Amino acid sequence: MEQGLLLHPPDPTGPNDDDRPAWDSKIQYVLAQVGFSVGLGNVWRFPYLCHQNGGGAFMLLYVFLLLIVGVPLFFMELAAGQSIRQGSIGVWKHISPKLVGIGYSSCVVCFYVALYYNVIIAWSLFYLGNSFQYPLPWEQCPIEVGTNETGMIKECASSSPTQYFWFRKALNITNSIEESGEFNPIMTGCLLAAWAIVSLAMIKGIKSSARVMYFSSVFPYVVLFIFLIRGTLLDGAIDGITYMFYPKLEIWGNVQVWRQAATQVFFALGLGYGSVIAYSSYNPVHNNCHRDALMVSSINFMTSVLASLVVFVVLGFRAKTIALHCVAENLGVLNLMSSNGSSQHWWPSFNVTDPNSVSLPEYRQWYHEHGSTLGQFTDCNLEEEMNKGVEGTGLAFIAFTEVMALFPASPFWSTLFFLMLLNLGLSTMFGTMQGILTPLMDNFKLLGRHRTILTVFSCALGFIIGLLFTQRSGNYFVMMFDDYSATLPLVIVVIFETISVAWVYGTDRFLDDIELMLKWRPPVVYKYLWKYVCLLAMVGLLAASLLRMVFKGPTYTAWNQTAASEMTLEYPGWALAMIVLLIVFASLPVPIGYIHSVLKKRSALDVPPQEGPGPEVHRKLYTKCNSTDQLDSNSHPAPCEEDGVRPRTSFLPVGNEQYRLLPQQEEEEGEEEEEEDTGV
């Protein structure tokens, strides 16, 4: 049965709303929401998707889906959290006890994400610590001293110094997920440090984490602008930006591109985690959450564009450097042939002894006219280098580190970059943990009274389970969790959230409640977006993700030490079972919550009614009447609602509505004629 604050007071098992923490200022709240939604995905996922899916055309598609799906769902979560002033469990339990499982599913997914997200923070700490040395340890291959000869380590010589440092020095990775290997002691220490930072920053709730947000949310923007200014001065920067924005409109006909764009919108805003709801629940009731939704969504998108500019500027410089190095190698071959081949008709007109005097277009023109027929030369294609898309850890810990090693004062730039990654990760981590702690403290009185113990225990548990990721094969488990543990469960959570608001509670009723908060009514278009567009989009995304998983099959990218290269492998049977269990365990609270509520209701109906007023009578002391109804203290009140008709419930009490005492309470307080207006 639906609940509403008009008929039911706050849950007595939860903390008193008067004691609920609140943001010190609006800027503190905005920084927290932006810090949570703007994360590592904006830096290493969005640019890759633009790179692979048509540049400017993908951005247009992203903005379209952001406006019709992302912003409405983000606004819905903000409004629900702010009006009910509870975490994710309390919000959906408030709408209907049958939907309480939605909140628990959000908590489970948040815990999944926190487990592997903090491992990425640990990696950033490791690289940050290694940035305080010159030259940087990933600039050159280490020398191996053999029995007969001295030379570079074969694995490094066959790949690159940055790849070798990442896979061998940082991760010391195995060849597959089936080879677990021992624990990596350095990464275990970094993971402990990462959890210690999170625990200390959140030990006092939003009061302590919000202070950290002032730095962790703003600092990444400072670094991004510094890198953008520095990057535009690099050779090849314009080539990278041109490649990024050149639109390829034909990608709009590809269903997988729509799926990727919708998924990115979904994760960029942090929908379904419960963190948006948790942060919003600490707001004043009349805060303009509609403006917040538009503002945070816009900042998020502009951050993605800014990060993409930085990434493409850097990748453009990297591609140009690789292409010019290719030209120099081919000119070296020509120089060796100069004694015999300089008189041939195919001999180039440019100076082969000075690579700096030969431009890339000049060499490529000669290659296509003559060089390709000789078989000894290679095509130094800038666009081909740009097409080698890099995402995720490969972008941050391989491609970017390679470029920063080419910068003058490389330790400074490396320190700046990994400080930015660290702060991006921490600000998102704070929101993720808040999505776990706030619902638990709101719904369990004991946990609410021991916030510090709960925070420390959660972080300690996260570290212990996180040891799974500090094995030599730990990176493969990070990929597994990132690809499969959150995507499907979160989409399922948001589908049920949308059903709860749009069909169980009702969009008109929800808009009424928002009108009470904002003092104006949001456009009616939200009603149709919530009921149809957003719901169908989420169902479509779920279907597309399931079909892709079934037909393509779960795979992962492994590093082969012998070949010194990456290769795609299929997960073994036990790993597939683990993936299924992760998805099922995160989704299971939704049906369990529904079944538990139904059984609880049936057992309550089976209990014979007791004589006299029971506890439930005291919970429903008031019944709502229209403000035009006259309350006469000398006569018995007539019922405000007809028998058998369920009264309209609401998130918020209506300001000009009156409340009449039920008969048993009127006898105790007969001198009062009207109840004054109440508020949350």
PDB file of all heavy atoms in Angstrom, residues 96 167 182 212 236 291 335 350 502 565:
ATOM      1  N   SER A  96       6.063   2.871  -1.790  1.00  0.00           N
ATOM      2  CA  SER A  96       5.356   1.611  -1.594  1.00  0.00           C
ATOM      3  C   SER A  96       6.301   0.631  -0.909  1.00  0.00           C
ATOM      4  O   SER A  96       7.422   0.430  -1.385  1.00  0.00           O
ATOM      5  CB  SER A  96       4.881   1.023  -2.928  1.00  0.00           C
ATOM      6  OG  SER A  96       4.330  -0.267  -2.727  1.00  0.00           O
ATOM      7  N   PHE A 167      52.179  -3.094 -16.883  1.00  0.00           N
ATOM      8  CA  PHE A 167      51.824  -4.507 -16.743  1.00  0.00           C
ATOM      9  C   PHE A 167      52.794  -5.293 -15.851  1.00  0.00           C
ATOM     10  O   PHE A 167      52.372  -6.226 -15.169  1.00  0.00           O
ATOM     11  CB  PHE A 167      51.743  -5.175 -18.119  1.00  0.00           C
ATOM     12  CG  PHE A 167      50.549  -4.764 -18.929  1.00  0.00           C
ATOM     13  CD1 PHE A 167      50.697  -4.037 -20.095  1.00  0.00           C
ATOM     14  CD2 PHE A 167      49.265  -5.089 -18.520  1.00  0.00           C
ATOM     15  CE1 PHE A 167      49.593  -3.653 -20.845  1.00  0.00           C
ATOM     16  CE2 PHE A 167      48.153  -4.714 -19.257  1.00  0.00           C
ATOM     17  CZ  PHE A 167      48.318  -3.983 -20.420  1.00  0.00           C
ATOM     18  N   GLU A 182      50.425 -14.613  -6.587  1.00  0.00           N
ATOM     19  CA  GLU A 182      50.418 -14.158  -5.199  1.00  0.00           C
ATOM     20  C   GLU A 182      49.931 -12.703  -5.128  1.00  0.00           C
ATOM     21  O   GLU A 182      49.692 -12.060  -6.152  1.00  0.00           O
ATOM     22  CB  GLU A 182      51.826 -14.279  -4.601  1.00  0.00           C
ATOM     23  CG  GLU A 182      52.872 -13.385  -5.247  1.00  0.00           C
ATOM     24  CD  GLU A 182      53.470 -13.987  -6.511  1.00  0.00           C
ATOM     25  OE1 GLU A 182      53.006 -15.081  -6.927  1.00  0.00           O
ATOM     26  OE2 GLU A 182      54.370 -13.365  -7.093  1.00  0.00           O
ATOM     27  N   VAL A 212      36.322  18.313   2.066  1.00  0.00           N
ATOM     28  CA  VAL A 212      37.288  17.764   1.111  1.00  0.00           C
ATOM     29  C   VAL A 212      36.848  18.062  -0.317  1.00  0.00           C
ATOM     30  O   VAL A 212      37.676  18.261  -1.213  1.00  0.00           O
ATOM     31  CB  VAL A 212      37.447  16.243   1.327  1.00  0.00           C
ATOM     32  CG1 VAL A 212      38.478  15.657   0.373  1.00  0.00           C
ATOM     33  CG2 VAL A 212      37.827  15.945   2.768  1.00  0.00           C
ATOM     34  N   GLY A 236      50.759  18.777 -33.593  1.00  0.00           N
ATOM     35  CA  GLY A 236      49.764  17.724 -33.793  1.00  0.00           C
ATOM     36  C   GLY A 236      48.483  17.963 -33.030  1.00  0.00           C
ATOM     37  O   GLY A 236      47.517  17.202 -33.185  1.00  0.00           O
ATOM     38  N   ARG A 291      16.451  23.385 -11.207  1.00  0.00           N
ATOM     39  CA  ARG A 291      17.617  24.138 -11.671  1.00  0.00           C
ATOM     40  C   ARG A 291      18.898  23.349 -11.415  1.00  0.00           C
ATOM     41  O   ARG A 291      19.811  23.352 -12.241  1.00  0.00           O
ATOM     42  CB  ARG A 291      17.665  25.490 -10.953  1.00  0.00           C
ATOM     43  CG  ARG A 291      18.822  26.396 -11.404  1.00  0.00           C
ATOM     44  CD  ARG A 291      18.748  27.734 -10.699  1.00  0.00           C
ATOM     45  NE  ARG A 291      18.814  27.535  -9.243  1.00  0.00           N
ATOM     46  CZ  ARG A 291      18.426  28.458  -8.370  1.00  0.00           C
ATOM     47  NH1 ARG A 291      17.925  29.604  -8.779  1.00  0.00           N
ATOM     48  NH2 ARG A 291      18.528  28.211  -7.070  1.00  0.00           N
ATOM     49  N   ASN A 335      68.728   6.542 -46.644  1.00  0.00           N
ATOM     50  CA  ASN A 335      70.097   7.054 -46.541  1.00  0.00           C
ATOM     51  C   ASN A 335      71.124   5.950 -46.766  1.00  0.00           C
ATOM     52  O   ASN A 335      72.184   6.155 -47.380  1.00  0.00           O
ATOM     53  CB  ASN A 335      70.284   7.686 -45.160  1.00  0.00           C
ATOM     54  CG  ASN A 335      71.489   8.605 -45.100  1.00  0.00           C
ATOM     55  OD1 ASN A 335      71.906   9.153 -46.115  1.00  0.00           O
ATOM     56  ND2 ASN A 335      72.051   8.771 -43.914  1.00  0.00           N
ATOM     57  N   PHE A 350      63.255  15.164 -51.787  1.00  0.00           N
ATOM     58  CA  PHE A 350      63.623  15.821 -50.526  1.00  0.00           C
ATOM     59  C   PHE A 350      64.941  15.267 -49.991  1.00  0.00           C
ATOM     60  O   PHE A 350      65.442  14.229 -50.437  1.00  0.00           O
ATOM     61  CB  PHE A 350      62.518  15.661 -49.474  1.00  0.00           C
ATOM     62  CG  PHE A 350      61.979  14.272 -49.341  1.00  0.00           C
ATOM     63  CD1 PHE A 350      62.694  13.258 -48.693  1.00  0.00           C
ATOM     64  CD2 PHE A 350      60.725  13.946 -49.866  1.00  0.00           C
ATOM     65  CE1 PHE A 350      62.183  11.979 -48.571  1.00  0.00           C
ATOM     66  CE2 PHE A 350      60.214  12.664 -49.741  1.00  0.00           C
ATOM     67  CZ  PHE A 350      60.935  11.675 -49.090  1.00  0.00           C
ATOM     68  N   ALA A 502       6.276   6.952 -11.959  1.00  0.00           N
ATOM     69  CA  ALA A 502       5.358   7.251 -13.065  1.00  0.00           C
ATOM     70  C   ALA A 502       4.055   6.470 -12.999  1.00  0.00           C
ATOM     71  O   ALA A 502       2.992   6.988 -13.376  1.00  0.00           O
ATOM     72  CB  ALA A 502       6.052   6.975 -14.398  1.00  0.00           C
ATOM     73  N   SER A 565      52.194  -8.548 -25.697  1.00  0.00           N
ATOM     74  CA  SER A 565      51.067  -7.858 -26.336  1.00  0.00           C
ATOM     75  C   SER A 565      49.759  -8.291 -25.666  1.00  0.00           C
ATOM     76  O   SER A 565      49.720  -9.289 -24.942  1.00  0.00           O
ATOM     77  CB  SER A 565      51.011  -8.178 -27.831  1.00  0.00           C
ATOM     78  OG  SER A 565      50.777  -9.567 -28.025  1.00  0.00           O
TER      79      SER A 565
END
